[in-house]
Amino acid sequence: MSFKLYTTPIAYTSDRTSKREREVAATQKLVREVFGEKAHLTHTPSGAPVISSSPLQAISISHCSDTCVLAVATDPDINIGVDIETQREQLQRVANKFLTPDEIQMTATREAFTLLKAWTAKEAVFKCALTPGLAFHEIHLHPTLEHAEARGQLFSLHYPLVTPTHVMAVALSSPHS
């Protein structure tokens, strides 16, 4: 496998700490654990996360309601994107905004969590592509959900976590593909 995943729970406290503040704290915890205490998380102008002490290392970060994940490419010639989500009704309402007609039909004929799997795959590809202006309907998922294509670039998709309530997708691509 050409990536490593690190996760931590997002702590819930009884004080007035916002969800965003808890997500930031969980992200900072993972960055320090993986890259060292002096590591500093910044972002490129396009919004991609970068570790100041390791700017050539491709990383991606995602949060869901209870978990923070940091994905690190172990091959310097690979781009990476990760997304983790929990099942929610909103996806059904907005499916036609992020899925192609073929993908809508494909997800309708499979298990209920396939829509969640398609959403996380598209989010992961979007992050991996590093393509300004890329729209979700430009990301085409293969019927097996193991590959995707966007603007001529190919992506492999991996699902290290798939349960009826949570899905994590990792997208990988070569920046030269």
Side-chain angles (χ1 to χ4, degrees):
M1 197 70 49
S2 54
F3 63 91
K4 291 184 179 180
L5 296 173
Y6 305 90
T7 62
T8 192
I10 295 177
Y12 287 93
T13 59
S14 59
D15 63 11
R16 295 184 176 258
T17 306
S18 72
K19 181 179 185 301
R20 181 70 187 137
E21 289 170 320
R22 292 189 306 267
E23 290 171 349
V24 168
T27 301
Q28 290 173 340
K29 176 183 179 215
L30 284 176
V31 166
R32 286 190 306 271
E33 286 176 3
V34 174
F35 294 101
E37 288 297 320
K38 294 186 179 189
H40 181 69
L41 178 67
T42 61
H43 293 83
T44 66
S46 66
V50 176
I51 303 299
S52 59
S53 60
S54 184
L56 300 178
Q57 186 100 41
I59 68 166
S60 186
I61 299 166
S62 185
H63 316 93
C64 67
S65 60
D66 58 2
T67 305
C68 177
V69 62
L70 168 66
V72 180
T74 56
D75 180 336
D77 294 325
I78 298 291
N79 286 342
I80 192 166
V82 68
D83 190 47
I84 186 169
E85 296 288 343
T86 53
Q87 188 68 276
R88 58 189 193 274
E89 289 182 28
Q90 176 188 0
L91 289 179
Q92 191 66 46
R93 290 193 308 269
V94 298
N96 63 342
K97 295 182 186 210
F98 70 89
L99 295 177
T100 66
D102 288 343
E103 292 164 349
I104 289 172
Q105 184 177 1
M106 173 187 69
T107 60
T109 60
R110 296 191 186 170
E111 298 88 358
F113 72 89
T114 304
L115 181 60
L116 181 59
K117 199 171 177 181
W119 170 261
T120 58
K122 288 209 175 198
E123 279 277 350
V125 167
F126 178 83
K127 292 175 180 183
C128 184
L130 301 172
T131 304
L134 180 65
F136 272 30
H137 68 270
E138 294 179 278
I139 300 169
H140 300 279
L141 300 173
H142 186 273
T144 64
L145 297 176
E146 294 175 5
H147 304 282
E149 181 274 330
R151 295 189 184 175
Q153 189 173 5
L154 301 177
F155 303 85
S156 64
L157 293 166
H158 308 269
Y159 303 92
L161 174 67
V162 177
T163 71
T165 58
H166 287 76
V167 172
M168 181 190 308
V170 176
L172 301 171
S173 82
S174 168
H176 310 294
S177 68

